[in-house]
């Protein structure tokens, strides 16, 4: 259980991550708002409370790694990395700009702290499995975390990776499914329903936890704690989240996947945070 | 100005209304690929398989074996790379009547960066037997070629681009698969281009004209089967050829023209296009410029062939 | 009694089918006997009882379609098609020969009765889904049967296809998993544990059945149950089988996945299959 | 020792030697490791040989992840799957990500023999050649394979190695010199040049012998590295021999022949040129020698192409 003070601190950090992200996207004119806002609490929980990382040494071999397989969520990952001191937050002004080192999808060759390049959906989890295998081989106790979209889970490659992780008993692999219920063309339930995720992951031999409120720090951290107590299996934590969380008028709409924020919407959102 | 993906949205709707066997198979990006209206008006002829492109190709092959004419609609990066195996195996090899209709070809998904830019798509397709490749350059030729693709019995890869491009033709112009179109006549140098860079090639022709150089500009909208007669004529009558494309200079129109020229044992070809490097996020014309593709550079290259300077 | 006669007759057919496919592979000196034998009983019931087909009109639009997603076991399919008179038995002598209508993997452009070309694993299931969707949309009563391997379920595309089948409620689609427990490089358990395949397909929205894939009565029964069932779900039948079934030295031996028998092995195999009759 | 060896055995032995020296070297396969000679290494290196099952896309993704953690992964499957099934994964997870992953595709072109059209890869070289930063290598025999594998492991960045896995015609001696990106001149003729790779090198040498008897002296270039291409050797050959024929066990669109055509046309070399290769067709079942005839890849086809180039040179 978090202390009141800690919870308030984390909440404040998530607020800051959202603000930095929305401002950066507003500056470019357009961007992936829905799927960045849905994972703000998760990223803060990971970077502020869970992951073993050293921002001054991003390639530290003993670090915990994060693969954001839904690579289009890059803006908020960059925001959190900047908040952690991986690079100057001023750099966020250059998101998607000409010659930028912060491209729209996660790029490990350009951004300190990004552990895997992603962008074509479904490929990141395979890479995360590869990382966890490497750690297992080298007897490192580091964890590998991955964030996979609910729509993204329609890619067969995700299930190819899921099978392999179970076979290899990758107990230090924790995958978060950002189950925000929306994809580009509609609600996931209408396009291709993948729910219930926990049942699927269990059928494929994983330890699966369903988190009722994917924006609650207590619930997220408790699930990660539970995962770490459970040996011999990889872990899937299904986060019931809200697409475009805290952006007034856009919450829980699939149209929020990628859109242009007006000045008014930005101000409203920032106030709302 | 009008975007080629809008031409797809408009023409596929018209085709679908005329022929109930015309299907659209979406992969969760119908909005960007302009198939929403088709889905709304013709739900019985529409499928959305979600983010599962490999599956979309296989599903379409299955549909085609049942007499449907499915148009798989996705981005060029996924429609070529992600589905590569499935297109070859399930569509080209059995020569099934499936159309791969891709928006966002070349560097045009400029902001999305390298993972979404398709700089090798029709190069891949050109290597696959039985494949026909169409790369239209404006709204009207695009609509005409989509219609021709629908009537063509066999696999077709169509490459559209994202942003509005200038009109080059009139609504009444008709286009034939495999027949290049002469956009400008001239005898000093030949420029062979296709797709969204056509407007740059046209500007280059104007620049050259002001310097007293007349360029023949060919619209090579069908990359495969290549109009070898038109290319051969350009080499034999002129002998100096510049190819311009929004594609890797390897395996695209430039390579195809080189094959013909080398086979003839004469002529000189300069390939302009993506310089065998990955894309990045940035404005479209800046990305082209980074690869040395501007109206000015096309004109300069053409002039250097004419004057023999390098 | 009638049912008993049917079972007996199908069991005889299964023996003939095994002999035919082994002879075909023996003569070609190339092919995949293991998986052909493991699926022989399923194929017998399909081709000699369940599928609605017109051998002299292979493209009859209302036929039940069959997709051999595990395309490498085509000898068993070719043998069925020949025995059902889709083409002359003599064609079997040309398996994998140049210019033959019988290619190393099923080729719909060459072989009458082959509904789709396959050979790259995982892709056939998607094709079957496409066919089932088309039939549903056309109100065509033809059903689509698809045979896939247990190892083949490693391919993510299988699960992509399963998601789609479930979304479109394809109760005209029946997947048959030849669960023989072996794949090319070893046992499935070692290479990629299949776990409980029925549970997996249930999790992907299928109505599932688990049967003994070598029991003709069980196979007949499961098809009858599927025909009687109405649930708006696609079906997956997990058929527990033995790779190389019917030939002692081939049973459960990985090496017989893709290897042709020599003369002595062939003669012994035929003898054993015939003895299985008594 | 190497004289009677399958190339897959030579591959397995070479990789085993390297694995003993380099603990970061790992093998990742997709249920075809037996076919490619890598599965036996599982005995000695149980933790460093990973078989992901029939999931090629996943195999490449897994390898990318391994490489991101400092491993040196070598993936293997059939060329058909390596190029086509994994293309998006090779492009994005490996090449664009700048990861040091090695890819081995076996049974190139007609070598797929009995597996027929679905497994016959005439497009792998073309596909790999279009990926920026990719190196494409096709060795022709066991001795050259051993050197090529070592060179592949030494060079940084993605490499695609096209592997004939059966017993090849012997051309090189064990311990032969091998330099990535530098063509080998096997015969020194001055009348015309044949540029070949992989299995076609032997056919080119046979053609050279045939033509020799007719007084035509061929230069045979073994273009074992198809990308980056040895442009200097091509330009020199054009200048010194005045006619060029390419020979590849692949679609004549976009492969070695096209790469050489690009050099000829762009440098205005104006020499008679012809491509011997598969003429934009799918494969089919058959034995290697049969298929070589079927797709016009034999020594005689090469000799014929050389003669028609020489005839054109006389006319011009």
């Amino acid at each position: 259980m978090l202390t009141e003070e800690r919870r308030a601190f984390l909440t404040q950090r998530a607020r800051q991550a959202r603000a930095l992200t929305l401002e950066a996207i507003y500056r470019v004119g357009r961007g992936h708002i829905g799927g960045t806002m849905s994972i703000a609490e998760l990223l803060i929980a990971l970077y502020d409370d869970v992951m073993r990382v050293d921002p001054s040494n991003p390639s530290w071999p003993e670090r915990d790694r994060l693969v954001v397989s839904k690579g289009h969520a890059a803006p908020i990952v960059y925001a959190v990395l900047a908040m952690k001191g991986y690079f100057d937050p001023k750099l966020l002004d250059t998101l998607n700009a000409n010659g930028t080192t912060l491209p729209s999808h996660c790029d490990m060759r350009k951004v300190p702290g990004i552990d895997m390049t992603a962008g074509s959906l479904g490929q990141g989890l395979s890479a995360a499995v590869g990382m966890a295998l490497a750690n297992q081989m080298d007897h490192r106790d580091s964890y590998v975390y991955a964030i996979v979209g609910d729509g993204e889970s329609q890619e067969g490659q995700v299930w190819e990776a899921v099978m392999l992780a179970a076979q290899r008993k990758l107990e230090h692999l924790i995958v978060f499914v950002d189950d925000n219920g929306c994809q580009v063309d509609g609600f996931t339930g209408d396009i291709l329903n993948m729910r219930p995720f926990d049942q699927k992951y269990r059928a494929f031999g994983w330890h699966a936890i369903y988190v009722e409120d994917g924006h609650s720090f207590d619930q997220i951290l408790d699930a990660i704690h539970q995962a770490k107590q459970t040996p011999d299996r990889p872990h899937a934590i299904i986060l019931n989240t809200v697409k475009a969380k805290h952006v007034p008028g856009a919450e829980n709409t699939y149209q929020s996947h990628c859109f242009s924020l007006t000045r008014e919407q930005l101000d409203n959102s920032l106030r709302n945070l | 100005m009008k975007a080629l993906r809008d031409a797809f949205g408009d023409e596929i709707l018209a085709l679908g209304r005329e022929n109930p066997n015309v299907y659209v198979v979406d992969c969760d990006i119908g909005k960007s690929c302009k198939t929403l209206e088709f889905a709304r008006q013709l739900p019985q002829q529409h499928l959305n398989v979600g983010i599962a492109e490999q599956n979309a190709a296989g599903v379409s092959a299955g549909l085609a074996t049942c007499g449907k004419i499915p148009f798989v609609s996705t981005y060029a990066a996924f429609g070529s790379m992600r589905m590569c195996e499935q297109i070859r195996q399930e569509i080209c090899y059995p020569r099934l009547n499936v159309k791969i209709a891709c928006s966002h070809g070349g560097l045009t998904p400029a902001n999305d960066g390298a993972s979404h830019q398709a700089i090798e798509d029709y190069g891949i397709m050109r290597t696959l037997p039985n494949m026909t490749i169409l790369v239209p350059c404006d709204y009207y030729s695009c609509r005409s070629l989509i219609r021709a693709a629908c009537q063509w019995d066999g696999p077709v890869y169509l490459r559209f681009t994202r942003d509005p491009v200038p009109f080059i033709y009139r609504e009444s112009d008709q286009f034939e698969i495999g027949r290049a179109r002469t956009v400008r006549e001239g005898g000093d140098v030949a420029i062979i281009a296709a797709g969204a860079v056509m407007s740059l090639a046209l500007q280059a022709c104007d620049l050259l004209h002001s310097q007293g150089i007349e360029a023949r500009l060919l619209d090579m909208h069908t990359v495969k089967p290549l109009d070898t007669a038109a290319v051969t004529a350009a080499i034999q009558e002129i002998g100096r050829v510049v190819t311009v494309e929004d594609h890797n200079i390897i395996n695209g129109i430039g390579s195809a023209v080189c094959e013909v020229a080398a086979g003839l044992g004469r002529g000189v070809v300069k390939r302009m296009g993506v310089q065998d490097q990955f894309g990045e996020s940035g404005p479209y014309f800046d990305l082209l410029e980074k690869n040395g593709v501007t109206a000015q550079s096309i004109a300069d290259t053409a002039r250097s062939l004419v004057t023999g300077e390098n | 009694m009638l049912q008993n006669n049917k079972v007996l007759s199908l069991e005889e057919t299964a023996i003939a089918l095994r002999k035919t496919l082994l002879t075909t592979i023996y003569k070609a000196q190339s092919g995949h006997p293991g998986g052909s034998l493991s699926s022989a009983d399923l194929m017998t019931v399909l081709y000699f009882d369940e599928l609605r087909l017109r051998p002299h009109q292979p493209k009859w639009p209302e036929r039940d379609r069959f997709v051999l997603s595990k395309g490498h076991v085509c000898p068993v399919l070719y043998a069925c098609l020949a025995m059902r008179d889709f083409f002359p038995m003599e064609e079997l002598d040309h398996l994998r020969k140049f210019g033959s209508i019988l290619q190393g993997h099923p080729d719909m452009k060459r072989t009458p009765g082959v509904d789709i070309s396959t050979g790259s694993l995982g892709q056939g299931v998607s094709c079957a889904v496409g066919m089932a969707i088309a039939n549903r949309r056309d109100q065509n009563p033809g059903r689509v049967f698809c045979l896939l391997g247990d190892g083949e379920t490693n391919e993510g595309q299988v699960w992509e296809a399963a998601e789609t089948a479930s979304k479109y409620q394809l109760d005209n689609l029946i997947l048959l998993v030849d669960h023989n427990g072996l794949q090319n490089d070893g046992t499935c358990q070692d290479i990629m544990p299949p776990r409980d395949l029925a549970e997996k397909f249930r999790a992907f929205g299928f109505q599932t059945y688990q049967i003994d894939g070598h029991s003709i009565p069980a196979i007949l029964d499961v098809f009858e149950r599927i025909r009687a069932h109405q649930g708006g779900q696609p079906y997956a039948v997990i058929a527990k089988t033995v790779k190389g079934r019917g030939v002692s030295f081939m049973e459960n031996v990985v090496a017989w996945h893709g290897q042709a028998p020599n003369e002595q092995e062939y003669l012994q195999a035929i003898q054993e299959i015939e003895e299985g009759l008594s | 020792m190497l004289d009677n060896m399958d190339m897959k055995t030579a591959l397995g032995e070479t990789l085993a030697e390297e694995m003993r020296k380099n603990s970061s070297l790992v093998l990742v396969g997709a249920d075809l490791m037996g076919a490619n000679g890598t599965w036996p290494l599982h005995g000695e290196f149980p933790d460093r040989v990973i078989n992901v099952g029939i999931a090629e896309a996943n195999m490449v993704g897994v390898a990318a992840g391994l490489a991101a953690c400092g491993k040196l992964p070598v993936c293997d499957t059939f060329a058909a799957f390596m190029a086509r099934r994994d293309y998006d994964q090779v492009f994005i997870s490996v090449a664009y990500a700048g990861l040091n992953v090695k890819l081995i595709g076996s049974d190139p072109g007609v070598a797929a023999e009995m597996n027929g059209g679905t497994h016959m890869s005439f497009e792998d070289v073309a596909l790999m050649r279009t990926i920026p930063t990719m190196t494409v290598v096709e060795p022709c025999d066991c001795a050259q394979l051993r050197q090529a594998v070592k060179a592949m492991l030494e060079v940084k960045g993605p490499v695609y190695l096209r592997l004939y896995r059966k017993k090849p015609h012997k051309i090189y001696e064990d311990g032969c010199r091998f330099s990535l990106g530098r063509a080998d001149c096997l015969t020194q003729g001055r009348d015309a040049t044949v540029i070949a790779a992989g299995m076609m090198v032997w056919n080119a040498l046979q053609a050279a012998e045939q033509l020799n008897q007719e007084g035509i002296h061929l230069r045979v270039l073994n273009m074992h590295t198809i990308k980056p291409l040895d442009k200097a050797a091509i330009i020199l050959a054009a200048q010194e021999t005045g006619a060029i024929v390419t020979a590849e066990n692949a679609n004549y669109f976009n492969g070695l022949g096209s790469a050489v055509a690009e050099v000829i046309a762009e440098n205005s070399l104006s020499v008679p040129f012809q491509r011997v290769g598969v003429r934009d067709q799918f494969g089919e079942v058959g034995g290697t020698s049969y298929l070589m005839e079927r797709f016009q890849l034999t020594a005689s086809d090469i000799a014929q192409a050389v003669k028609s180039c020489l005839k054109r040179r006389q006319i011009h």
Side-chain angles (χ1 to χ4, degrees), chain D:
Chain D
M1 175 62 184
L2 286 174
D3 289 5
N4 269 315
M5 200 179 266
D6 287 341
M7 283 177 82
K8 68 169 180 177
T9 313
L11 175 72
E13 285 188 359
T14 312
L15 284 173
E17 284 163 24
E18 296 299 316
M19 286 177 83
R20 284 172 208 131
K21 284 187 266 182
N22 180 352
S23 62
S24 66
L25 187 55
V26 292
L27 307 183
V28 192
D31 202 33
L32 284 169
M33 302 186 85
N36 292 338
T38 50
W39 192 230
L41 277 62
H42 184 253
E44 188 177 343
F45 308 100
D47 297 334
R48 288 162 61 195
V49 177
I50 300 163
N51 197 326
V52 303
I54 312 165
E56 297 82 7
N58 194 34
M59 165 184 74
V60 172
V62 167
L66 288 164
C69 295
K71 298 287 171 199
L72 175 54
V74 178
C75 294
D76 72 75
T77 178
F78 285 157
F81 303 140
M82 188 61 88
R84 303 195 301 259
R85 183 127 211 167
D86 304 338
Y87 198 71
D88 202 25
Q89 288 77 20
V90 171
F91 185 93
I92 291 170
S93 295
V94 174
Y96 180 57
L99 290 170
N100 196 17
V101 175
K102 312 302 176 188
L103 311 163
I104 297 177
S106 67
D107 279 9
V110 295
E113 293 196 315
M114 294 306 164
N115 276 325
T118 52
H119 287 56
M120 206 158 281
S121 176
F122 291 147
E123 60 289 308
D124 53 323
V125 169
L127 263 53
M128 291 298 179
R129 193 170 82 89
T130 331
I131 300 178
T133 72
M134 183 64 75
T135 297
V136 180
V137 186
E138 184 174 19
C140 64
D141 73 356
C142 291
Q144 188 170 56
L145 172 70
R146 300 189 79 114
Q147 304 304 325
V149 168
K150 287 176 194 165
M152 164 179 92
L153 297 176
E154 267 165 31
V155 73
K156 199 110 173 94
V159 177
Y160 175 64
L161 187 142
R162 198 178 199 227
L163 174 77
Y164 179 64
R165 62 188 168 98
K166 298 164 191 166
K167 188 172 168 296
H169 293 286
K170 183 183 161 179
I171 293 170
Y172 289 91
E173 293 301 328
D174 203 11
C176 62
R177 231 177 32 119
F178 181 88
S179 167
L180 266 183
R182 285 281 288 281
D184 273 354
C185 189
L186 296 178
T187 65
Q188 301 286 349
R190 290 237 161 202
D191 295 331
T193 301
V194 175
I195 301 177
M199 295 168 82
M200 298 300 283
V201 173
W202 177 257
N203 293 11
L205 289 170
Q206 296 292 106
E209 247 175 63
Q210 276 179 33
L211 291 170
N212 215 10
Q213 288 164 8
E214 302 175 37
I216 300 168
H217 304 291
L218 270 193
R219 173 176 301 184
V220 174
L221 286 182
N222 175 6
M223 196 59 76
H224 50 72
T225 309
I226 297 161
K227 184 181 180 182
L229 191 68
D230 188 345
K231 289 181 189 154
I234 297 168
I235 292 170
L236 192 69
Q239 286 163 350
E240 291 183 353
T241 72
I244 290 184
V245 168
T246 55
E248 62 197 308
N249 169 24
N251 194 335
Y252 74 165
F253 282 147
N254 294 347
L256 175 64
S258 298
V260 173
E262 289 159 14
V263 175
I264 293 174
E266 289 208 314
N267 291 284
S268 197
L269 298 174
S270 298
V271 292
F273 168 77
Q274 200 164 319
R275 287 169 292 155
V276 172
V278 178
R279 300 172 184 201
D280 201 25
Q281 287 164 293
F282 285 109
E284 56 187 44
V285 294
T288 294
S289 58
Y290 167 76
L291 289 169
M292 286 204 167
E293 278 184 23
R294 164 81 179 79
F295 293 110
Q296 294 167 277
L297 306 174
T298 64
S300 307
D301 294 312
I302 295 172
Q304 207 55 49
V306 169
K307 284 187 196 166
S308 90
C309 279
L310 294 180
K311 199 176 283 171
R312 278 162 54 203
R313 193 166 62 193
Q314 280 164 358
I315 292 165
H316 280 290

Side-chain angles (χ1 to χ4, degrees), chain C residues 3-251:
Chain C
Q3 188 65 14
N4 261 344
N5 284 344
K6 186 180 189 176
V7 169
L8 278 178
S9 141
L10 284 170
E11 280 171 351
E12 272 173 37
T13 308
I15 287 164
L17 176 64
R18 283 193 163 87
K19 283 164 63 182
T20 309
L21 75 89
L22 271 176
T23 307
T24 306
I25 294 172
Y26 169 65
K27 284 186 178 165
Q29 274 304 296
S30 176
H32 295 81
S36 296
L37 290 168
S38 68
S39 53
D41 298 301
L42 290 164
M43 292 294 282
T44 300
V45 179
L46 279 172
Y47 271 86
F48 297 88
D49 190 71
E50 184 66 18
L51 295 178
R52 294 181 317 127
L53 301 165
R54 289 182 183 167
H56 295 287
Q57 191 193 350
K59 298 208 175 299
W60 175 42
E62 300 201 345
R63 71 188 180 280
D64 288 338
R65 287 166 192 257
F66 176 72
V67 174
L68 186 64
S69 195
K70 44 182 296 189
H72 57 277
V73 304
C74 53
V76 70
L77 172 61
Y78 296 158
C80 284
L81 292 172
M83 288 165 70
R84 282 295 314 266
D85 220 13
F86 277 83
F87 48 79
M89 290 291 282
E90 296 81 72
E91 290 289 347
L92 294 175
D93 295 346
H94 305 306
L95 171 71
R96 292 186 166 221
K97 298 265 174 18
F98 170 62
S100 167
I101 64 164
L102 303 180
Q103 295 286 299
H105 291 85
D107 186 330
M108 61 187 291
K109 290 290 181 206
R110 294 181 195 244
T111 315
V114 169
D115 287 320
I116 188 90
S117 305
T118 50
S120 180
L121 293 176
Q123 300 193 13
V125 192
S126 291
C127 299
V129 169
M131 293 172 175
I133 292 172
N135 280 356
R136 172 57 43 79
R137 296 272 166 104
D138 289 348
Q139 289 162 355
N140 180 327
R143 297 168 299 165
V144 183
F145 290 77
C146 174
L147 181 71
L148 64 155
D150 44 6
E152 188 175 1
T153 64
N154 297 171
E155 286 283 11
Q157 195 176 354
V158 168
W159 302 103
E160 296 182 356
E163 294 154 13
T164 308
S166 167
K167 171 187 175 182
Y168 288 101
Q169 305 179 351
L170 300 177
D171 55 11
N172 55 347
L173 175 73
I174 297 109
L175 300 187
L176 306 166
V177 183
D178 179 11
H179 193 4
N180 61 35
L182 297 184
Q183 53 193 99
N184 199 45
D185 273 351
T187 67
C188 296
Q189 201 52 40
D190 286 344
I191 302 299
M192 184 52 66
R195 311 182 63 81
D196 184 341
L197 284 171
E199 186 191 347
K200 280 186 182 170
F201 276 102
R202 268 198 302 280
F204 275 77
F206 276 64
Q207 172 75 23
T208 63
Y209 304 89
Q210 283 170 288
I211 61 163
D212 172 357
H214 296 305
S215 156
I216 300 278
I219 303 169
L220 284 167
D221 174 62
V222 84
F223 288 146
E224 201 172 307
R225 277 155 67 197
I226 288 173
R227 264 183 273 112
H229 186 266
Q230 280 175 344
Q233 282 173 295
Y235 301 95
V237 177
I238 315 300
K240 187 78 202 74
T241 59
V242 174
K243 200 149 179 169
R245 167 76 173 199
V247 180
S248 61
F249 58 91
M250 289 187 182
E251 286 191 0

Side-chain angles (χ1 to χ4, degrees), chain A residues 63 65 103 106-110 115-120 123-135 137-140 157 160-162 164 167-168, chain D residues 26 46-66 68-71 85 88-90 92-94 96-100:
Chain A
R63 74 189 183 280
R65 291 166 194 254
C106 290
D107 192 317
M108 65 189 289
R109 291 293 166 222
K110 293 185 172 155
D115 289 315
M116 187 66 213
T117 300
S120 180
Q123 300 194 14
L125 188 53
S126 291
V129 170
M131 293 172 180
L133 273 171
N135 284 341
M137 261 181 238
D138 292 348
H139 310 292
R140 265 196 297 266
Q157 195 180 348
E160 295 180 356
V162 163
L164 184 61
Q167 183 209 20
R168 297 286 162 151
Chain D
V26 292
D47 297 334
R48 288 162 61 195
V49 177
I50 300 163
N51 197 326
V52 303
I54 312 165
E56 297 82 7
N58 194 34
M59 165 184 74
V60 172
V62 167
L66 288 164
C69 295
K71 298 287 171 199
R85 183 127 211 167
D88 202 25
Q89 288 77 20
V90 171
I92 291 170
S93 295
V94 174
Y96 180 57
L99 290 170
N100 196 17

